[in-house]
Amino acid sequence: MRNIYYSIVFLFVALVLITSCKKDFLDRTPSADLDEEKVFKDPALAASYADNAYNHLVDEYARFNAHRGTTAQASDEAVSGNADVSVRTLNQGLFHDHYERGGASLNDIGDIWERAYAGIRLANVTLSRMSTVPWTNAQSPSRIEGEMHFIRAFLYFELIKRFGGVPIVDKPASIFDNIDIPRNTYQECLNFILADLDKAEALLLPDYDASNYGRATKGAAAALKARALLYAASPINNPTGDLTKWASAAAAAKVVIDMNKYSLQTTYADIMNVPQSSEYIMIKIRPPRIIDGFLLDFVMSPGSGGAQGSMNPTQNHVDMYEAVKKNGNTIISSAPITDPNSGYDAQKPYDNRDPRFYANILYNNVLWQGRNMGMWSQTNGTTTTYGADFRPNNIIYSATRYYCRKMWPEVYVRNTTQRALFNFIFFRYAEVLLNYAEALNESTDSQIERQLAIARVNEVRNRVGMPALSNTLTQVQLREAIVRERAVELAFEDFRWYDLIRWKKAKDVLTQPVKGMDVVRNANGSFTYNVVTLPILYQKRFEDYMYLYPIPRREIFKSDGILKQNPNW
């Protein structure tokens, strides 16, 4: 940890608030050549110094190898069509490798460790100087103090959800301090996080004006507390199944619900693409994104002008969307596609599915940007032709015959529209409802209480017209329904990988064959569909010791044996 505390890099982000056209708070940062003594003699610079801590939060989905990898591709949600090495460090169990080769920002381990402790240092420095700054009416010192407690808590949560217990540093380290300190336990870290969040909730406001939209609020602190307690109650951190931990998680989520401040927005398909929403509890504020970068070089199909479309949903994920039956346009029943009474037709696999399927997945022959996506092959004698969006064994095209609609706003057309919104959502209300339902279901044997949990899941389902779950579901049945609901509702939003880990389901799920779809175009223009197992390159590995990430080796080596590695790494 020595390099983290002896240096700090000031990051600069020029952001525009979409609705007000004003510079937002992260665009007012002090120059990197100012030392801390000068900064904290000037209240404006001190406030800006504090704002830099926001830049250390995890705030991007496609964050591995600049913009070419996500945790979705480490989980069963997707694969990386180009077998990106930063993703394969996770899905092949080679967690150390890319980081140790100098790619600190290229995976979910070294980058998180370094950015989290750098952000924690910023928060610690700011908190230690709060009483010395000559604040004026132009600043909000109470808000700043609350934000520092929130950000520090958030960063520690990001650490413990990956590594387990980590060293707690609650004050700035001077050059004379011994910073080689042992790890605290998970519970000690959790207690520290909760204490910070209690302070944050007391200091933060429910809302801010337009120029400060995106800052942590009282609701964000409450949502983070609910998420942290849900993880603490989950099997990986609660091996004895202590029901009081689940009850605490449910109560924390209920606090957010009872604020009566947040609600599901009426539409789901644009959940990532609106400037503000009743559902957003906290998002990363950005201007409209240009088409270059991760959209062009990661999400978009080459047939639509993309450089490489390597964000490829798996058949495993696609199969989690229920089949539905309709009366006109109204869904009257639904069931998993494995249910023989669901009405699912393997040769019409994309007909009559959960509406969130159409919002999240691009599939063969779907109308997109004024044309039908083509993920087919067709053989006529010795000649084989392909649809515009598929080439076999070509890393820039989909490996599964699917592309990710959720990450690809339809307005992004090469050489036409160059900018559109694509948000990173820290917290949205649908997650809180599902967190509450899961925690309440696990905390009780009462069917009356379970019906309260079912009602919250049904709120999420009803938003897209899915029929309500039965009030008679057992605990096991509701647990299975919540697993499926989180998979489809929160698809590709950086949840599935960590859900599988906290549930201790990763080994069972990720070692199942990873599948895609083979699509053959027939002479009459119809299509034949066959589910296929992907080549070994796309199969994933997970062992029991991988439920905790390894602490970066360089941190272990620097600590003179004080910082202990996780088992078997």
Side-chain angles (χ1 to χ4, degrees):
M1 295 171 67
R2 196 169 269 120
N3 61 326
I4 297 171
Y5 283 90
Y6 291 162
S7 65
I8 184 169
V9 177
F10 286 92
L11 303 179
F12 300 93
V13 180
L15 304 176
V16 178
L17 183 66
I18 308 310
T19 57
S20 68
C21 297
K22 295 178 181 178
K23 299 278 187 180
D24 85 87
F25 61 90
L26 285 181
D27 195 36
R28 302 190 289 270
T29 55
S31 173
D33 61 0
L34 291 179
D35 63 34
E36 288 175 5
E37 290 301 323
K38 293 180 180 178
V39 166
F40 289 101
K41 289 179 181 178
D42 183 323
L45 289 178
S48 295
Y49 180 97
D51 284 339
N52 275 303
Y54 279 95
N55 293 320
H56 292 77
L57 296 177
V58 176
D59 59 7
E60 187 60 277
Y61 301 110
R63 62 179 182 270
F64 305 159
N65 194 9
H67 54 246
R68 298 184 185 90
T70 70
T71 58
Q73 295 162 307
S75 77
D76 61 336
E77 287 182 309
V79 296
S80 177
N82 65 6
D84 181 87
V85 66
S86 65
V87 174
R88 288 179 63 75
T89 60
L90 295 181
N91 63 32
Q92 294 300 306
L94 307 173
F95 289 49
H96 275 308
D97 287 9
H98 208 203
Y99 172 69
E100 299 302 337
R101 294 171 188 167
S105 65
L106 302 184
N107 65 15
D108 204 35
I109 300 149
D111 173 51
I112 295 298
W113 185 275
E114 292 183 1
R115 76 187 290 167
Y117 274 110
I120 289 166
R121 181 187 185 279
L122 280 169
N124 284 340
V125 169
T126 303
L127 288 170
S128 72
R129 300 293 194 111
M130 288 297 300
S131 63
T132 68
V133 179
W135 300 109
T136 71
N137 292 335
Q139 290 83 42
S140 302
S142 293
R143 188 211 72 222
I144 292 169
E145 183 178 354
E147 287 175 321
M148 294 304 98
H149 285 294
F150 170 84
I151 291 172
R152 186 168 69 177
F154 207 163
L155 292 172
Y156 270 116
F157 171 72
E158 294 292 355
L159 287 168
I160 67 171
K161 86 175 186 181
R162 293 165 170 83
F163 302 101
V166 296
I168 295 176
V169 183
D170 62 356
K171 61 182 183 300
S174 75
I175 61 173
F176 303 107
D177 290 336
N178 177 13
I179 57 172
D180 292 321
I181 59 177
R183 299 171 65 173
N184 291 82
T185 66
Y186 181 92
Q187 188 62 47
E188 289 169 339
C189 293
L190 178 66
N191 292 343
F192 185 79
I193 290 167
L194 296 177
D196 257 350
L197 291 175
D198 285 341
K199 295 171 185 174
E201 282 189 74
L203 293 164
L204 295 172
L205 296 177
D207 288 297
Y208 298 105
D209 60 25
S211 65
N212 287 290
Y213 184 67
R215 289 190 183 277
T217 61
K218 195 178 294 290
L224 176 55
K225 182 183 290 186
R227 187 186 291 176
L229 286 169
L230 182 77
Y231 274 67
S234 298
I236 190 172
N237 299 311
N238 185 17
T240 64
D242 184 346
L243 298 185
T244 64
K245 293 185 176 182
W246 286 111
S248 294
K254 189 66 161 50
V255 168
V256 184
I257 295 169
D258 287 346
M259 287 179 175
N260 294 317
K261 176 176 175 55
Y262 307 105
S263 61
L264 299 176
Q265 71 175 46
T266 56
T267 55
Y268 175 81
D270 59 348
I271 195 68
M272 315 298 290
N273 315 118
V274 294
Q276 295 189 47
S277 169
S278 63
E279 188 162 343
Y280 291 168
I281 300 173
M282 181 177 172
I283 68 170
K284 171 76 172 184
I285 297 297
R286 287 190 174 93
R289 300 198 192 203
I290 61 172
I291 202 170
D292 295 329
F294 93 93
L295 289 153
L296 177 69
D297 197 31
F298 176 63
V299 179
M300 292 173 59
S301 156
S304 296
Q308 49 183 340
S310 57
M311 178 61 183
N312 307 150
T314 62
Q315 189 66 43
N316 310 55
H317 174 72
V318 166
D319 287 349
M320 298 192 77
Y321 294 86
E322 291 178 285
V324 302
K325 294 180 180 178
K326 296 182 179 181
N327 181 4
N329 292 324
T330 302
I331 299 173
I332 57 174
S333 66
S334 66
I337 65 170
T338 52
D339 184 333
N341 297 315
S342 69
Y344 175 72
D345 183 343
Q347 287 308 309
K348 296 179 180 178
Y350 311 129
D351 290 357
N352 299 316
R353 303 292 291 272
D354 182 327
R356 289 168 292 190
F357 169 75
Y358 306 104
N360 294 340
I361 307 295
L362 290 170
Y363 52 93
N364 181 64
N365 209 42
V366 65
L367 183 64
W368 184 247
Q369 297 182 336
R371 68 179 183 88
N372 294 91
M373 296 285 284
M375 274 80 95
W376 48 265
S377 64
Q378 182 173 19
T379 300
N380 185 6
T382 60
T383 302
T384 300
T385 56
Y386 304 98
D389 306 289
F390 172 68
R391 297 291 185 277
N393 305 313
N394 188 323
I395 63 173
I396 71 172
Y397 289 85
S398 174
T400 62
R401 314 286 182 102
Y402 299 108
Y403 292 91
C404 183
R405 176 171 179 170
K406 196 172 197 177
M407 280 189 159
W408 179 4
E410 189 169 12
V411 296
Y412 277 109
V413 179
R414 187 70 181 274
N415 298 324
T416 304
T417 302
Q418 296 299 312
R419 293 179 184 271
L421 280 175
F422 182 78
N423 298 321
F424 181 89
I425 302 173
F426 292 112
F427 305 100
R428 64 181 176 97
Y429 189 57
E431 182 215 344
V432 173
L433 293 174
L434 294 175
N435 290 353
Y436 174 73
E438 179 183 347
L440 188 59
N441 183 54
E442 298 298 338
S443 69
T444 181
D445 289 327
S446 166
Q447 193 63 29
I448 294 175
E449 294 274 293
R450 184 155 300 112
Q451 288 174 4
L452 296 176
I454 292 168
R456 297 304 183 179
V457 178
N458 286 338
E459 284 185 50
V460 177
R461 291 171 62 85
N462 291 345
R463 187 245 298 271
V464 294
M466 288 291 284
L469 300 176
S470 169
N471 270 335
T472 63
L473 292 182
T474 66
Q475 183 184 54
V476 171
Q477 289 171 328
L478 181 55
R479 181 184 299 140
E480 293 173 351
I482 289 169
V483 167
R484 183 183 304 276
E485 201 66 26
R486 289 182 71 92
V488 300
E489 172 69 26
L490 304 175
F492 314 118
E493 292 182 44
D494 214 23
F495 283 98
R496 178 68 171 175
W497 168 253
Y498 304 112
D499 277 349
L500 292 176
I501 287 174
R502 69 179 177 87
W503 290 327
K504 295 208 77 173
K505 292 178 176 287
K507 185 175 181 180
D508 291 338
V509 171
L510 299 182
T511 55
Q512 296 300 309
V514 182
K515 297 185 178 182
M517 182 68 80
D518 180 57
V519 186
V520 174
R521 187 182 186 192
N522 303 311
N524 64 0
S526 65
F527 299 99
T528 298
Y529 294 93
N530 289 292
V531 174
V532 294
T533 298
L534 298 181
I536 190 66
L537 179 68
Y538 303 105
Q539 301 304 314
K540 302 178 182 184
R541 174 178 173 239
F542 200 95
E543 304 292 346
D544 286 332
Y545 66 89
M546 297 175 190
Y547 280 105
L548 290 178
Y549 285 9
I551 292 174
R553 286 191 183 116
R554 67 181 68 178
E555 302 298 330
I556 299 293
F557 295 157
K558 288 185 305 187
S559 75
D560 298 325
I562 294 173
L563 189 63
K564 300 299 183 183
Q565 183 59 276
N566 279 323
N568 297 314
W569 287 107

Coordinates of all heavy atoms in Angstrom, one line a residue, residues 398-441:
S398 N -19.8 -11.4 -33.4 CA -20.4 -12.1 -32.2 C -20.0 -13.6 -32.2 O -20.1 -14.2 -33.2 CB -21.9 -12.0 -32.2 OG -22.4 -12.8 -31.1
A399 N -19.6 -14.1 -31.1 CA -19.3 -15.5 -30.9 C -20.5 -16.3 -30.6 O -20.5 -17.5 -30.6 CB -18.2 -15.7 -29.8
T400 N -21.6 -15.6 -30.2 CA -22.8 -16.3 -29.7 C -24.0 -16.1 -30.6 O -25.1 -16.7 -30.4 CB -23.2 -15.8 -28.3 OG1 -23.5 -14.4 -28.4 CG2 -22.1 -16.1 -27.3
R401 N -23.9 -15.2 -31.6 CA -25.0 -14.7 -32.5 C -25.9 -13.8 -31.8 O -27.1 -13.6 -32.2 CB -25.8 -15.9 -33.1 CG -25.0 -17.0 -33.7 CD -24.3 -16.7 -35.0 NE -23.6 -17.9 -35.5 CZ -24.0 -18.7 -36.5 NH1 -25.1 -18.4 -37.1 NH2 -23.3 -19.7 -36.8
Y402 N -25.4 -13.1 -30.7 CA -26.2 -12.1 -30.0 C -25.3 -10.9 -29.7 O -24.1 -11.0 -29.6 CB -26.7 -12.6 -28.6 CG -27.6 -13.8 -28.7 CD1 -27.2 -15.0 -28.3 CD2 -28.9 -13.6 -29.1 CE1 -28.1 -16.1 -28.3 CE2 -29.8 -14.7 -29.2 CZ -29.4 -16.0 -28.8 OH -30.2 -17.0 -28.8
Y403 N -25.9 -9.7 -29.8 CA -25.3 -8.5 -29.3 C -26.1 -7.9 -28.2 O -27.2 -8.3 -27.9 CB -25.1 -7.5 -30.5 CG -24.2 -8.0 -31.6 CD1 -24.7 -8.7 -32.7 CD2 -22.9 -7.7 -31.5 CE1 -23.8 -9.2 -33.7 CE2 -22.0 -8.1 -32.6 CZ -22.5 -8.8 -33.6 OH -21.6 -9.3 -34.6
C404 N -25.5 -7.0 -27.5 CA -26.1 -6.4 -26.3 C -26.8 -5.1 -26.6 O -26.1 -4.0 -26.7 CB -25.0 -6.2 -25.2 SG -25.7 -5.6 -23.7
R405 N -28.1 -5.2 -26.7 CA -28.9 -3.9 -26.9 C -28.8 -3.0 -25.8 O -28.8 -1.8 -26.0 CB -30.3 -4.3 -27.3 CG -31.2 -3.1 -27.5 CD -32.6 -3.4 -28.0 NE -33.4 -2.2 -28.1 CZ -34.5 -2.1 -28.7 NH1 -35.1 -3.2 -29.2 NH2 -35.2 -1.0 -28.8
K406 N -28.8 -3.5 -24.6 CA -28.9 -2.6 -23.4 C -27.7 -1.6 -23.4 O -27.8 -0.5 -22.9 CB -28.9 -3.4 -22.1 CG -29.3 -2.7 -20.9 CD -29.5 -3.6 -19.7 CE -30.3 -3.0 -18.6 NZ -30.5 -4.0 -17.5
M407 N -26.6 -2.0 -23.9 CA -25.4 -1.2 -23.9 C -25.2 -0.4 -25.2 O -24.2 0.3 -25.4 CB -24.1 -2.0 -23.7 CG -23.9 -2.4 -22.2 SD -22.2 -3.1 -22.1 CE -22.0 -2.8 -20.3
W408 N -26.2 -0.5 -26.1 CA -26.0 0.1 -27.4 C -27.3 0.9 -27.8 O -28.2 0.3 -28.3 CB -25.8 -1.1 -28.4 CG -25.6 -0.7 -29.9 CD1 -25.6 0.6 -30.4 CD2 -25.5 -1.6 -31.0 NE1 -25.5 0.5 -31.8 CE2 -25.4 -0.8 -32.2 CE3 -25.5 -2.9 -31.1 CZ2 -25.3 -1.3 -33.4 CZ3 -25.4 -3.5 -32.4 CH2 -25.2 -2.7 -33.5
P409 N -27.3 2.1 -27.4 CA -28.5 3.0 -27.8 C -28.7 2.9 -29.3 O -27.8 3.1 -30.1 CB -28.1 4.4 -27.3 CG -27.1 4.1 -26.3 CD -26.3 2.9 -26.7
E410 N -30.0 2.8 -29.7 CA -30.3 2.6 -31.1 C -29.9 3.8 -32.0 O -29.6 3.7 -33.2 CB -31.7 2.3 -31.3 CG -32.1 1.9 -32.8 CD -33.5 1.3 -32.9 OE1 -34.3 1.4 -31.9 OE2 -33.8 0.7 -34.0
V411 N -29.8 5.0 -31.4 CA -29.5 6.2 -32.1 C -28.0 6.2 -32.6 O -27.6 7.0 -33.4 CB -29.8 7.5 -31.3 CG1 -31.3 7.6 -31.1 CG2 -29.0 7.5 -30.0
Y412 N -27.2 5.3 -32.0 CA -25.8 5.3 -32.4 C -25.7 4.6 -33.8 O -25.7 3.4 -33.9 CB -24.9 4.5 -31.4 CG -24.5 5.4 -30.3 CD1 -25.0 5.2 -29.0 CD2 -23.5 6.4 -30.4 CE1 -24.6 6.0 -27.9 CE2 -23.1 7.2 -29.4 CZ -23.7 7.0 -28.1 OH -23.2 7.7 -27.1
V413 N -25.5 5.4 -34.8 CA -25.3 4.9 -36.2 C -24.0 5.5 -36.7 O -23.8 6.7 -36.7 CB -26.5 5.3 -37.1 CG1 -26.3 4.8 -38.5 CG2 -27.8 4.8 -36.5
R414 N -23.2 4.6 -37.2 CA -21.9 5.1 -37.7 C -22.0 6.1 -38.7 O -22.8 6.0 -39.7 CB -21.1 3.9 -38.2 CG -19.6 4.2 -38.6 CD -18.8 4.5 -37.3 NE -17.4 4.8 -37.6 CZ -16.5 3.9 -37.8 NH1 -16.8 2.6 -37.7 NH2 -15.2 4.3 -38.0
N415 N -21.3 7.2 -38.6 CA -21.3 8.3 -39.6 C -22.6 9.1 -39.6 O -22.8 9.8 -40.6 CB -20.8 7.8 -40.9 CG -19.5 7.2 -40.9 OD1 -18.6 7.7 -40.2 ND2 -19.3 6.2 -41.7
T416 N -23.4 8.9 -38.6 CA -24.7 9.6 -38.6 C -24.9 10.3 -37.3 O -24.5 11.5 -37.2 CB -25.9 8.7 -38.9 OG1 -25.7 8.0 -40.1 CG2 -27.2 9.4 -39.0
T417 N -25.4 9.6 -36.3 CA -25.5 10.2 -35.0 C -24.2 9.9 -34.2 O -23.8 8.8 -34.1 CB -26.7 9.6 -34.2 OG1 -27.9 9.8 -35.0 CG2 -26.9 10.2 -32.9
Q418 N -23.7 11.0 -33.6 CA -22.4 10.8 -33.0 C -22.5 10.8 -31.4 O -21.5 10.5 -30.8 CB -21.4 11.9 -33.4 CG -21.1 11.8 -34.9 CD -20.4 10.5 -35.3 OE1 -19.5 10.1 -34.7 NE2 -20.9 9.9 -36.4
R419 N -23.6 11.2 -30.9 CA -23.7 11.4 -29.4 C -25.0 10.9 -28.9 O -26.0 11.1 -29.6 CB -23.5 12.8 -29.0 CG -22.1 13.3 -29.2 CD -21.9 14.8 -28.8 NE -20.6 15.3 -29.1 CZ -19.6 15.3 -28.3 NH1 -19.7 14.7 -27.1 NH2 -18.4 15.7 -28.7
A420 N -25.0 10.3 -27.7 CA -26.2 9.9 -27.1 C -25.9 9.6 -25.6 O -24.7 9.4 -25.2 CB -26.9 8.7 -27.7
L421 N -27.0 9.5 -24.8 CA -26.8 9.2 -23.4 C -26.6 7.7 -23.1 O -27.3 6.9 -23.7 CB -28.0 9.7 -22.6 CG -28.1 11.2 -22.2 CD1 -29.4 11.4 -21.5 CD2 -26.9 11.6 -21.4
F422 N -25.6 7.4 -22.3 CA -25.5 6.0 -21.8 C -25.0 6.2 -20.4 O -23.8 6.5 -20.2 CB -24.6 5.1 -22.6 CG -24.6 3.7 -22.1 CD1 -25.6 2.8 -22.3 CD2 -23.5 3.3 -21.3 CE1 -25.6 1.6 -21.8 CE2 -23.5 2.0 -20.8 CZ -24.5 1.1 -21.0
N423 N -25.8 5.9 -19.4 CA -25.5 6.2 -18.0 C -24.8 5.0 -17.3 O -24.9 3.9 -17.7 CB -26.7 6.5 -17.2 CG -27.5 7.7 -17.7 OD1 -26.8 8.7 -18.0 ND2 -28.8 7.7 -17.7
F424 N -24.0 5.4 -16.2 CA -23.6 4.4 -15.3 C -24.5 4.6 -14.0 O -24.5 5.7 -13.5 CB -22.2 4.4 -14.9 CG -21.8 3.4 -13.9 CD1 -21.3 2.2 -14.3 CD2 -21.8 3.6 -12.5 CE1 -21.0 1.2 -13.4 CE2 -21.5 2.6 -11.6 CZ -21.1 1.4 -12.0
I425 N -25.2 3.6 -13.6 CA -26.2 3.7 -12.5 C -25.5 3.1 -11.2 O -25.3 1.9 -11.2 CB -27.5 3.1 -12.8 CG1 -28.1 3.6 -14.1 CG2 -28.5 3.2 -11.6 CD1 -29.3 2.9 -14.6
F426 N -25.3 4.0 -10.2 CA -24.8 3.4 -9.0 C -25.9 2.7 -8.2 O -25.7 1.6 -7.7 CB -24.3 4.6 -8.1 CG -23.0 5.2 -8.6 CD1 -23.1 6.5 -9.0 CD2 -21.8 4.6 -8.6 CE1 -21.9 7.2 -9.5 CE2 -20.7 5.2 -9.0 CZ -20.7 6.5 -9.5
F427 N -27.1 3.3 -8.2 CA -28.2 2.7 -7.5 C -29.5 3.1 -8.2 O -29.7 4.3 -8.5 CB -28.4 3.2 -6.0 CG -27.1 3.0 -5.2 CD1 -26.2 4.1 -5.0 CD2 -26.8 1.8 -4.6 CE1 -25.1 3.9 -4.2 CE2 -25.7 1.6 -3.9 CZ -24.8 2.7 -3.7
R428 N -30.4 2.1 -8.4 CA -31.7 2.5 -8.9 C -32.8 1.7 -8.1 O -32.4 0.7 -7.4 CB -31.9 2.2 -10.4 CG -31.7 0.8 -10.9 CD -31.9 0.8 -12.5 NE -31.7 -0.5 -13.1 CZ -32.7 -1.3 -13.4 NH1 -33.9 -1.0 -13.1 NH2 -32.4 -2.5 -14.0
Y429 N -34.0 2.1 -8.1 CA -35.0 1.7 -7.2 C -35.3 0.2 -7.4 O -35.6 -0.5 -6.4 CB -36.2 2.5 -7.3 CG -37.3 2.3 -6.3 CD1 -37.0 2.4 -4.9 CD2 -38.6 2.0 -6.7 CE1 -38.0 2.2 -4.0 CE2 -39.6 1.8 -5.7 CZ -39.3 1.9 -4.4 OH -40.3 1.7 -3.4
A430 N -35.3 -0.3 -8.6 CA -35.6 -1.7 -8.9 C -34.7 -2.6 -8.1 O -35.1 -3.6 -7.6 CB -35.5 -2.0 -10.4
E431 N -33.4 -2.2 -8.0 CA -32.5 -3.0 -7.2 C -32.9 -3.1 -5.8 O -32.8 -4.1 -5.1 CB -31.0 -2.5 -7.3 CG -30.0 -3.4 -6.6 CD -28.9 -2.6 -5.9 OE1 -28.7 -1.4 -6.3 OE2 -28.2 -3.1 -5.0
V432 N -33.3 -1.9 -5.2 CA -33.7 -1.8 -3.8 C -34.9 -2.8 -3.6 O -34.9 -3.5 -2.6 CB -34.0 -0.4 -3.4 CG1 -34.6 -0.3 -2.0 CG2 -32.8 0.5 -3.5
L433 N -35.8 -2.8 -4.5 CA -37.0 -3.6 -4.3 C -36.6 -5.1 -4.3 O -37.1 -5.9 -3.5 CB -38.0 -3.4 -5.4 CG -38.7 -2.0 -5.4 CD1 -39.5 -1.8 -6.7 CD2 -39.5 -1.8 -4.2
L434 N -35.7 -5.5 -5.2 CA -35.2 -6.9 -5.2 C -34.4 -7.2 -4.1 O -34.4 -8.3 -3.5 CB -34.5 -7.1 -6.6 CG -35.4 -7.0 -7.8 CD1 -34.5 -7.1 -9.1 CD2 -36.5 -8.0 -7.8
N435 N -33.5 -6.3 -3.6 CA -32.8 -6.5 -2.4 C -33.7 -6.8 -1.2 O -33.5 -7.7 -0.4 CB -31.9 -5.3 -2.1 CG -30.8 -5.1 -3.0 OD1 -30.5 -5.9 -3.9 ND2 -30.1 -3.9 -2.9
Y436 N -34.7 -5.9 -1.1 CA -35.7 -6.1 0.0 C -36.4 -7.5 0.0 O -36.5 -8.2 1.0 CB -36.7 -5.0 0.0 CG -37.8 -5.1 1.0 CD1 -37.6 -4.9 2.4 CD2 -39.1 -5.5 0.6 CE1 -38.6 -5.1 3.3 CE2 -40.1 -5.7 1.5 CZ -39.9 -5.4 2.8 OH -40.9 -5.6 3.7
A437 N -36.8 -7.8 -1.2 CA -37.5 -9.1 -1.4 C -36.6 -10.3 -1.0 O -37.1 -11.2 -0.3 CB -38.0 -9.2 -2.8
E438 N -35.4 -10.2 -1.5 CA -34.5 -11.3 -1.2 C -34.2 -11.4 0.3 O -34.3 -12.5 0.9 CB -33.2 -11.2 -2.0 CG -32.2 -12.2 -1.7 CD -30.8 -12.0 -2.4 OE1 -30.8 -11.1 -3.3 OE2 -29.9 -12.7 -2.0
A439 N -33.9 -10.3 0.9 CA -33.6 -10.3 2.3 C -34.8 -10.8 3.2 O -34.6 -11.5 4.1 CB -33.0 -9.0 2.8
L440 N -35.9 -10.2 2.9 CA -37.1 -10.6 3.6 C -37.5 -12.1 3.5 O -37.8 -12.8 4.4 CB -38.3 -9.7 3.2 CG -39.6 -9.9 4.0 CD1 -39.3 -9.5 5.5 CD2 -40.7 -9.0 3.4
N441 N -37.3 -12.6 2.3 CA -37.6 -14.0 2.0 C -36.7 -14.9 2.8 O -37.1 -15.9 3.3 CB -37.5 -14.3 0.5 CG -37.8 -15.7 0.2 OD1 -38.9 -16.2 0.5 ND2 -36.9 -16.4 -0.5

